[in-house]
């Protein structure tokens, strides 16, 4: 009887751990699917089409490995999000929430759903997803020492991405106290992270909060150079866009460009037009990468640069193109809800 009780207690403890951390896929073995899973992530900031293709290949190869299929679903959801197919992305994230045993994969889905809410201004839903993610991180942290190395790395990435989307959301609503708190959280996460892409992403947000415009320009220029060198097209485009906005709003910076922007000056030739040129390059980079939302954003910034220069015809043409992108999004994904005269 005593031994049966001991066995029951051990089973109960195992069940309690499973309910917290879940059954995650990550052993530390270099199996073919584990390797492919890593390749999916490595393509994330370089090429959406490549990442999507790898995610679909992982989904096919992972038959019989339920949690790797959940990894693939999260990756495919990210690709759909970048294409502004929010319905498909939401369906995939909901699938992970409903079917995954691994709490880390559910956390990744939470963060993805927060990103969708941020992009479509779903304020109430954002805070619902954020509260769910906070509770999930608390549960996982209780057993983090028992995670495999690969699962712990995935957990750390998800936590940093949680901080990044939170900063973006709070900044957009000018919730400055929340921005400050979350930046502190991001700094703590960066101290532990060895992921170069996420470090670059978070450093971009931290740099953009600097009140000293010259320091901000130097930090952003340094990040831009590193993003380009590493081949992170999406991060390169974001850095270019932030530099363009900074130069547009602070013309005095054009007279004292840092050395690490010299290569851009040589390439663009016209210092005065550098804000527009960088914004236009960012729009093209976003287009090549596959992020339609940020492509439209960059085109709107390009238009504002043209407006400042008094070239209203060029500005209107850019705004028409941006509007066509928005309309194309509705035509593609909500054709039954919108009546276009054109």
């Amino acid at each position: 009887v005593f031994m049966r009780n001991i066995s029951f207690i051990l089973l109960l403890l195992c069940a309690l751990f499973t309910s917290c951390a879940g059954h995650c896929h990550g052993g530390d073995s270099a199996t073919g699917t584990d390797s492919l899973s890593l390749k999916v992530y490595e393509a994330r900031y370089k090429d959406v089409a490549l990442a999507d293709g790898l995610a679909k290949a992982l989904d096919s190869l992972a038959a019989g490995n339920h949690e790797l299929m959940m990894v693939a679903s999260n990756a495919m959801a990210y690709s759909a999000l970048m294409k502004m197919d929010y319905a498909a992305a939401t369906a995939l994230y909901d699938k992970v929430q409903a079917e995954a045993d691994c709490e880390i994969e559910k956390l990744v889905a939470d963060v993805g759903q927060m990103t969708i809410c941020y992009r479509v201004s779903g304020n109430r839903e954002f805070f619902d997803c954020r509260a769910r993610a906070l509770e999930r991180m608390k549960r996982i942290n209780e057993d983090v020492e028992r995670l495999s190395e690969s699962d712990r790395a995935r957990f750390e990435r998800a936590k940093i991405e949680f901080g990044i989307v939170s900063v973006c959301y709070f900044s957009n609503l000018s919730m400055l106290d929340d921005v400050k708190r979350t930046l502190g959280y991001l700094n703590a996460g960066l101290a532990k992270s060895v992921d170069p892409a996420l470090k670059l992403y978070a450093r971009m947000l931290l740099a953009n909060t600097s009140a000293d415009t010259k320091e901000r320009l130097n930090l952003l220029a340094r990040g831009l150079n590193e993003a380009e060198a590493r081949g992170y097209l999406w991060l390169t485009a974001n850095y270019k866009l932030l530099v363009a906005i900074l130069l547009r709003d602070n013309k005095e910076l054009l007279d004292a460009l840092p050395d690490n922007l010299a290569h851009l000056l040589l390439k663009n030739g016209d210092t005065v037009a550098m804000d527009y040129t960088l914004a236009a390059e960012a729009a093209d980079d976003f287009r090549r990468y596959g992020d339609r939302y940020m492509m439209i954003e960059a085109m709107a910034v390009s238009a504002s640069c043209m407006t400042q220069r008094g070239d209203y015809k060029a500005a209107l043409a850019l705004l028409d193109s941006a509007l066509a992108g928005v309309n194309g999004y509705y035509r593609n994904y909500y054709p039954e809800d919108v009546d276009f005269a054109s």
Side-chain angles (χ1 to χ4, degrees), residues 22 26 49 55 75 84 131 161 200 206 261 317:
M84 295 176 69
E161 289 177 349
L200 265 174
L206 292 166
L261 278 182

Side-chain angles (χ1 to χ4, degrees), residues 72-333:
S73 292
N74 270 329
M76 290 187 289
Y78 175 83
S79 300
L81 190 161
M82 289 293 107
K83 298 171 188 173
M84 295 176 69
D85 189 350
Y86 300 133
T90 298
L92 285 162
Y93 285 135
D94 285 345
K95 175 184 177 183
V96 174
Q97 298 286 8
E99 299 179 13
D101 296 319
C102 177
E103 288 286 289
I104 297 170
E105 289 313 314
K106 290 185 177 182
L107 176 61
V108 172
D110 288 333
V111 175
Q113 288 169 321
M114 286 169 62
T115 305
I116 293 174
C117 293
Y118 164 64
R119 288 195 169 193
V120 302
S121 301
N123 295 332
R124 183 179 64 80
E125 294 83 359
F126 178 88
F127 284 104
D128 288 344
C129 292
R130 189 170 189 274
R132 189 171 64 220
L134 284 168
E135 284 298 314
R136 207 180 302 282
M137 286 189 287
K138 182 179 177 181
R139 290 198 298 272
I140 300 171
N141 270 322
E142 291 173 355
D143 287 297
V144 70
E145 295 303 321
R146 301 178 67 173
L147 293 174
S148 69
E149 184 178 338
S150 58
D151 284 331
R152 193 179 302 183
R154 191 160 175 77
F155 179 42
E156 292 301 324
R157 287 199 298 266
K159 288 196 294 183
I160 292 175
E161 289 177 349
F162 168 85
I164 287 170
V165 69
S166 295
V167 168
C168 292
Y169 181 86
F170 293 143
S171 298
N172 197 46
L173 294 184
S174 299
M175 299 169 66
L176 301 184
D177 288 342
D178 292 288
V179 170
K180 186 176 180 180
R181 277 195 297 271
T182 311
L183 286 173
Y185 168 88
L186 259 185
N187 265 323
L190 282 178
K192 300 177 184 177
S193 177
V194 294
D195 187 309
L198 275 185
K199 287 172 89 73
L200 265 174
Y201 194 169
R203 276 168 41 200
M204 177 176 67
L205 297 181
L206 292 166
N208 206 44
T209 62
S210 173
D212 184 328
T213 55
K214 286 186 178 179
E215 178 188 33
R216 195 189 319 168
L217 181 60
N218 273 297
L219 291 171
L220 290 174
R222 195 178 309 148
L224 171 56
N225 287 338
E226 185 177 342
E228 284 187 314
R230 290 184 177 273
Y232 296 137
L233 183 58
W234 188 78
L235 291 172
T236 297
N238 274 283
Y239 270 105
K240 282 181 180 178
L241 187 59
L242 289 177
V243 173
I245 293 170
L246 185 60
L247 294 177
R248 179 198 66 189
D249 298 340
N250 301 273
K251 296 298 185 188
E252 70 279 3
L253 293 175
L254 290 168
D255 297 326
L257 290 171
D259 291 341
N260 51 3
L261 278 182
H263 71 293
L264 293 175
L265 179 59
L266 291 173
K267 182 170 67 173
N268 296 323
D270 184 359
T271 307
V272 177
M274 186 178 280
D275 55 351
Y276 163 75
T277 303
L278 284 173
E281 285 184 7
D284 189 56
D285 287 346
F286 283 125
R287 178 192 61 76
R288 291 190 296 119
Y289 170 79
D291 187 342
R292 296 181 61 186
Y293 178 94
M294 288 304 300
M295 179 190 73
I296 293 167
E297 179 77 16
M299 290 169 71
V301 171
S302 300
S304 69
C305 294
M306 287 291 101
T307 300
Q308 276 196 358
R309 297 182 69 185
D311 192 341
Y312 303 118
K313 184 176 180 181
L316 281 172
L318 285 164
L319 289 173
D320 281 342
S321 296
L323 182 59
V326 174
N327 288 343
Y329 156 64
Y330 281 107
R331 283 194 182 95
N332 284 337
Y333 301 120

